[in-house]
Amino acid sequence: MKLAKNPRITLPMSLSRKINGQDVSEIRYIKLGRGGAWADESLAEGYLSFGYHSIPNEVCQAADWDKVRSLLSDRKSEGAITAGVNEVAAFYEQPADCLWVTFAQGHMWWGFAEREVIWLGGHPDGGPSRIRPMIGGWSKLDAKGEPLIVSQLSSKLTKVANFRGTICTVEDEPYLLRKIQAIDEPIVVEARALNDQMVAVAARMIKALHWADFETLVDLIFARSGWQRMSKVGTGLSDVDIILEQPTTNEQAFVQVKSKANQATFDDYLERFEASGFQRFFFVCHSPSGSLKIPEMDHVHFLSGSSLALAAIKSGLFEWLVDRSN
């Protein structure tokens, strides 16, 4: 019997079909037991686990797929029978350079398996009937050592976990390979370049603002971030530009806005903040004199240049900046 062949997806010339130096001839998703019941042990012990307990190992080793078809004849349709034969054949015939992937424990796991199939028997306890040892075990990390977290992957890949069978192809191979190789999607690279350009333009527009418009911009950024502006209180705080309150935490913040400032100016206002009793200090300056030394404290924030521009963009104020710059 001739098995059905799956069409090979054409990959971009710039994308390598190598993982850790290993050529990738094929890619297959595998479900490690019904509902992932064998996943924890399979991942920990380092093997592919497979069921089909009614199919003898010697029949598969002989590649007698017609016999496997007859043993699956109680399935509801010819399509279901063919699907079963293809799954069994894939487990036995996929080479050592086939990349296997699965989803478990909130991560995507990948690896390569030895050609050897180890028969475990009927397994009355509900375990797998046969396994293939992984070459170097399973991995849930990309080429940069970052975890491949399911919630951070596109559904165009993770939807394969909804496959009702055991083994199948992956629809978007290029996306999968880029994720493992820690290569950004081409459209993401383009988007980040455009975003960087947008931030640079926003920073230039902010520097060109009239001082009154600059203070209004800062006020709007904080307002859209959930902070509420309060009236100035106390004669000792008469030189504070903005006093803010975060209604969800009752936290109060001391905000100083400067078009230009040097290190001495920042240090002066930091001392005033520390004597004020407020919980948080924001120093906002679009044109600082040199590189200011900002203490690494969770409650001290310095907004300038790209960080200030990015805050404005995230607050939906880019068009506002365009209008004020026109």
Side-chain angles (χ1 to χ4, degrees):
M1 184 186 73
K2 189 175 181 180
L3 296 176
K5 296 293 185 180
N6 292 295
R8 174 64 59 81
I9 299 174
T10 302
L11 300 179
M13 293 298 293
S14 60
L15 183 61
S16 170
R17 287 189 71 93
K18 282 182 178 289
I19 302 293
N20 289 348
Q22 170 67 60
D23 289 316
V24 177
S25 65
E26 300 287 342
I27 298 176
R28 292 294 183 271
Y29 164 77
I30 184 168
K31 186 174 294 181
L32 300 173
R34 186 183 299 274
W38 307 329
D40 289 348
E41 184 175 346
S42 299
L43 296 171
E45 298 298 326
Y47 56 74
L48 293 179
S49 52
F50 195 67
Y52 282 82
H53 299 72
S54 64
I55 309 298
N57 181 53
E58 58 270 18
V59 173
C60 302
Q61 295 285 9
D64 189 348
W65 308 123
D66 287 321
K67 178 63 174 178
V68 172
R69 173 173 285 276
S70 69
L71 291 170
L72 296 174
S73 61
D74 59 342
R75 290 198 167 193
K76 294 181 180 181
S77 68
E78 282 299 315
I81 293 172
T82 299
V85 174
N86 285 339
E87 287 188 343
V88 176
F91 187 80
Y92 277 82
E93 294 193 333
Q94 284 301 322
D97 57 4
C98 173
L99 175 66
W100 295 89
V101 296
T102 195
F103 299 96
Q105 302 170 1
H107 293 79
M108 182 180 78
W109 299 76
W110 60 272
F112 300 92
E114 302 281 0
R115 284 298 307 271
E116 176 191 15
V117 175
I118 300 174
W119 173 250
L120 301 179
H123 253 284
D125 62 351
S129 64
R130 65 207 87 199
I131 62 173
R132 282 179 61 175
M134 300 300 292
I135 302 172
W138 288 94
S139 176
K140 61 178 179 179
L141 305 177
D142 67 17
K144 294 181 178 179
E146 296 297 322
L148 293 161
I149 301 172
V150 172
S151 62
Q152 297 175 0
L153 300 174
S154 170
S155 58
K156 64 184 178 182
L157 173 60
T158 59
K159 68 179 182 180
V160 73
N162 296 323
F163 177 62
R164 292 186 177 182
T166 303
I167 295 174
C168 69
T169 57
V170 174
E171 182 177 332
D172 196 334
E173 290 188 358
Y175 176 81
L176 169 62
L177 290 171
R178 278 194 288 267
K179 282 300 175 183
I180 295 175
Q181 295 171 0
I183 299 173
D184 287 331
E185 289 292 286
I187 196 168
V188 172
V189 174
E190 183 181 355
R192 285 177 176 164
L194 289 173
N195 185 71
D196 290 345
Q197 184 178 357
M198 189 176 184
V199 169
V201 170
R204 296 207 319 265
M205 289 192 292
I206 290 172
K207 284 187 176 183
L209 288 174
H210 183 270
W211 66 267
D213 285 336
F214 179 49
E215 286 196 351
T216 299
L217 172 68
V218 174
D219 201 7
L220 287 170
I221 290 173
F222 284 113
R224 295 189 182 190
S225 302
W227 290 91
Q228 294 181 353
R229 184 165 184 164
M230 301 173 61
S231 299
K232 298 177 183 178
V233 293
T235 56
L237 298 176
S238 60
D239 54 354
V240 175
D241 287 323
I242 306 174
I243 297 174
L244 301 173
E245 183 176 57
Q246 177 55 253
T248 56
T249 63
N250 293 323
E251 187 178 24
Q252 292 186 338
F254 178 115
V255 183
Q256 190 62 39
V257 183
K258 293 289 184 183
S259 296
K260 297 181 179 181
N262 56 25
Q263 187 67 50
T265 305
F266 171 80
D267 292 342
D268 176 37
Y269 280 101
L270 178 60
E271 288 183 7
R272 299 187 195 195
F273 158 73
E274 291 173 339
S276 70
F278 288 100
Q279 294 92 356
R280 197 167 292 276
F281 175 45
F282 292 95
F283 192 82
V284 186
C285 177
H286 65 59
S287 299
S289 178
S291 179
L292 303 188
K293 294 181 180 179
I294 310 300
E296 295 184 4
M297 301 178 180
D298 292 339
H299 60 281
V300 176
H301 308 273
F302 177 54
L303 292 178
S304 181
S306 60
S307 64
L308 178 57
L310 187 58
I313 292 170
K314 287 184 174 181
S315 300
L317 293 165
F318 188 81
E319 288 299 326
W320 185 94
L321 283 170
V322 172
D323 290 342
R324 292 302 184 279
S325 302
N326 195 357

